[in-house]
Amino acid sequence: MSNTSSTMLALGTKAPDFSLLNPVNNQVQSLESLKGKKGTLVVFICNHCPFVLHIIDTLEELYEDYKSKGIEFIGINANDVASYPADSPEMMVEFVEEKALKFPYLYDESQDIAKAFEAACTPDFYYFDENLKLIYRGQMDDSRPGNQKEITGEDLIIAFENHLADQEQEDLQRPSLGCNIKWK
């Protein structure tokens, strides 16, 4: 298990546009068609990473809580499936079913989107406002596999609630930590 921190893309950055395959419905879906009315959380995840497995249930719970408030979540898997077949599109479908994920989980085969986001790890979180301007990037909370801290989603919740209340975001945004993206 590697400990790689997110690169912390500059706040205010416009979300890189994308159209990627959703293996679950075998459709190409775009950021524009999926974005939320009040904001969009893009999170780089994969099927096998212990850091992702540690938080995925809480991430789905947060989606259930915030989708009705106009915040959409989009998961993206950019791992090299030749070296990591557990992250293949077929396995993504199984992962979605096993974890009962309701948010779209897209496949970045070329890894171009991950590079455009400067994604470094799984999970790597990017929260954009309704104009697709980056207002939060960093960790979901302080919990990590094995550190005995409760999985709360606190940092994301604060970002969501601040935005929904038209409040400024926290100055301190701490990087996410996880397994490195498996580059080709």
Side-chain angles (χ1 to χ4, degrees), residues 118-182:
E118 299 179 18
C121 59
T122 55
D124 210 346
F125 299 92
Y126 302 84
Y127 179 48
F128 298 91
D129 68 12
E130 54 277 359
N131 299 311
L132 296 175
K133 185 178 93 176
L134 186 63
I135 56 175
Y136 177 83
R137 76 286 192 250
Q139 68 179 10
M140 185 169 123
D141 59 31
D142 288 330
S143 180
R144 306 287 185 268
N147 76 357
Q148 309 307 316
K149 292 187 179 182
E150 182 181 0
I151 306 166
T152 63
E154 178 182 27
D155 293 53
L156 284 181
I157 291 169
I158 290 169
F160 296 157
E161 292 296 331
N162 282 344
H163 182 63
L164 291 171
D166 292 323
Q167 300 295 316
E168 293 293 317
Q169 292 295 331
E170 302 290 315
D171 288 333
L172 177 62
Q173 296 184 9
R174 293 172 290 190
S176 188
L177 183 72
C179 296
N180 62 301
I181 290 182
K182 309 309 185 218

Side-chain angles (χ1 to χ4, degrees), residues 56-163:
I56 196 68
D57 294 336
T58 302
L59 184 63
E60 177 58 32
E61 290 170 13
L62 289 175
Y63 178 66
E64 295 292 329
D65 292 344
Y66 284 96
K67 181 170 178 52
S68 63
K69 297 178 182 180
I71 299 174
E72 184 59 64
F73 289 23
I74 303 168
I76 298 177
N77 171 15
N79 278 357
D80 174 17
V81 300
S83 298
Y84 294 85
D87 291 326
S88 71
E90 298 78 21
M91 297 303 288
M92 290 172 65
V93 173
E94 289 185 23
F95 184 77
V96 166
E97 291 170 357
E98 177 188 324
K99 298 299 180 184
L101 300 182
K102 307 241 179 359
F103 58 85
Y105 184 24
L106 310 179
Y107 178 47
D108 180 15
E109 181 176 11
S110 70
Q111 301 184 319
D112 290 343
I113 304 311
K115 289 173 185 170
F117 274 80
E118 299 179 18
C121 59
T122 55
D124 210 346
F125 299 92
Y126 302 84
Y127 179 48
F128 298 91
D129 68 12
E130 54 277 359
N131 299 311
L132 296 175
K133 185 178 93 176
L134 186 63
I135 56 175
Y136 177 83
R137 76 286 192 250
Q139 68 179 10
M140 185 169 123
D141 59 31
D142 288 330
S143 180
R144 306 287 185 268
N147 76 357
Q148 309 307 316
K149 292 187 179 182
E150 182 181 0
I151 306 166
T152 63
E154 178 182 27
D155 293 53
L156 284 181
I157 291 169
I158 290 169
F160 296 157
E161 292 296 331
N162 282 344
H163 182 63

Side-chain angles (χ1 to χ4, degrees), residues 34-53:
L34 294 174
K35 72 179 183 177
K37 290 181 180 170
K38 288 288 190 176
T40 305
L41 178 73
V42 175
V43 56
F44 287 84
I45 59 175
C46 68
N47 306 336
H48 81 279
C49 171
F51 290 88
V52 172
L53 296 173

